[in-house]
Amino acid sequence: MLKTIIDLISPKGKFILTKRALLVNPQTPCYNCLQMTFEERIKALKNIPIFKVLPISEVKAVAFSAYEKDFPAKHPLIKEGEKSNLLYFILEGSLRVYKVSQEGEEINLNICGPGDIVGEMAIIDKIPRSASVETLQATKALILKGEDFIKILRVYPEIAIVMLSELNKRIRNIDQNVEDILTKNLRERTWKTLLTLSNYFPKRKVLMSHEELASIVGATRARITEILDLLEKENKIILDHKKIQIC
């Protein structure tokens, strides 16, 4: 059985028992019988940017411990302030990352989609979640438990180095979004948000109500409706019931 597991992770069988023991916990339920096969999880992970530059052994180590889960639209994946030990590799769908101000306003920080990773910071620094994450549409993710992630990092520190690069990119995106809130007018922010969202919806048709878009942009529903009417007059979008087609 041990040789079979080693062969799964490394075709050349170069892993020693102590390394393999770090990755397999006999008390952890086996997720290999779920919908995605081991090979399908490997293929899905290889579409995520950080794994494209890593050796196949690292990809297989994560694929072996990860399991698949589907989430409906508007599902609260992570809540600010909560303690959680799950890491999400997004395969399909889209999500928004936001914080709630003391006045109760939702401040959008980022929009995520396929290829993005969510939740790794709280696992690494072991503090409560710093922001909330909600799905914008039906979303599929591969999930890795925090303790499994830490064990894998100890065996394959190269993963941590690559993830630092991706984390820096995310921080720059958040900084840009905050700068947009401070410097851009509502029309510019709305248009930029729609262009970003259109990357995650088929045929650039954003399935979202005016109220939902308003919560992402940070405006009232009435003001967003005014801006959307203006963008439609400029032939940039076509409005339908809870649908915004980007032209």
Side-chain angles (χ1 to χ4, degrees):
M1 176 62 182
L2 178 60
K3 184 179 184 301
T4 301
I5 293 175
I6 292 176
D7 288 342
L8 276 174
I9 303 301
S10 172
K12 296 182 179 180
K14 291 185 177 180
F15 288 86
I16 60 175
L17 176 59
T18 53
K19 283 192 173 185
R20 189 58 214 138
L22 285 174
L23 301 180
V24 179
N25 180 351
Q27 302 302 319
T28 301
C30 175
Y31 297 109
N32 294 324
C33 300
L34 292 180
Q35 189 174 4
M36 293 181 74
T37 65
F38 179 64
E39 290 75 17
E40 288 171 338
R41 293 199 298 278
I42 292 173
K43 183 178 180 180
L45 287 171
K46 288 176 70 175
N47 288 326
I48 295 176
I50 71 163
F51 292 108
K52 290 181 178 179
V53 298
L54 288 171
I56 189 63
S57 56
E58 278 87 335
V59 181
K60 289 182 176 181
V62 174
F64 186 82
S65 299
Y67 61 97
E68 170 197 5
K69 190 168 183 179
D70 295 301
F71 301 93
K74 315 307 174 191
H75 179 83
L77 202 68
I78 293 173
K79 293 184 180 179
E80 182 179 357
E82 74 174 2
K83 291 185 178 180
S84 175
N85 72 333
L86 298 179
L87 171 67
Y88 302 85
F89 300 98
I90 308 304
L91 305 182
E92 299 174 8
S94 58
L95 315 90
R96 69 179 183 120
V97 182
Y98 67 95
K99 291 180 71 71
V100 179
S101 69
Q102 292 182 346
E103 293 76 25
E105 293 184 55
E106 294 182 356
I107 302 171
N108 194 68
L109 299 178
N110 202 9
I111 296 174
C112 306
D116 288 323
I117 303 172
V118 176
E120 78 285 0
M121 291 178 63
I123 292 174
I124 294 173
D125 55 26
K126 297 182 180 179
I127 62 175
R129 299 292 190 178
S130 59
S132 297
V133 180
E134 178 186 58
T135 60
L136 295 173
Q137 57 182 311
T139 298
K140 181 189 295 291
L142 282 176
I143 302 175
L144 190 63
K145 289 185 176 181
E147 55 266 32
D148 291 335
F149 179 57
I150 295 300
K151 291 174 183 177
I152 291 172
L153 288 184
R154 287 172 179 161
V155 179
Y156 302 108
E158 297 88 350
I159 296 177
I161 295 172
V162 177
M163 287 190 71
L164 280 175
S165 175
E166 291 299 315
L167 185 58
N168 284 334
K169 292 179 184 178
R170 188 190 310 169
I171 292 173
R172 285 196 293 270
N173 287 338
I174 292 175
D175 287 344
Q176 183 61 58
N177 288 337
V178 172
E179 182 179 340
D180 289 347
I181 292 174
L182 297 175
T183 62
K184 293 185 181 298
N185 61 43
L186 183 57
R187 181 195 173 281
E188 291 174 323
R189 294 195 341 250
T190 302
W191 178 236
K192 183 176 180 179
T193 300
L194 285 172
L195 290 177
T196 300
L197 288 169
S198 69
N199 294 323
Y200 303 121
F201 286 83
K203 300 180 180 179
R204 292 165 59 86
K205 183 179 291 185
V206 179
L207 306 180
M208 187 172 292
S209 68
H210 293 193
E211 184 175 0
E212 291 166 340
L213 180 60
S215 68
I216 295 175
V217 176
T220 65
R221 182 188 182 283
R223 287 288 289 128
I224 285 296
T225 297
E226 291 176 10
I227 297 298
L228 290 177
D229 288 341
L230 176 62
L231 291 173
E232 187 172 41
K233 289 178 181 178
E234 296 174 354
N235 296 319
K236 291 182 177 295
I237 62 173
I238 298 173
L239 295 175
D240 198 354
H241 179 62
K242 292 188 177 182
K243 297 176 184 178
I244 307 169
Q245 176 69 60
I246 310 300
C247 298

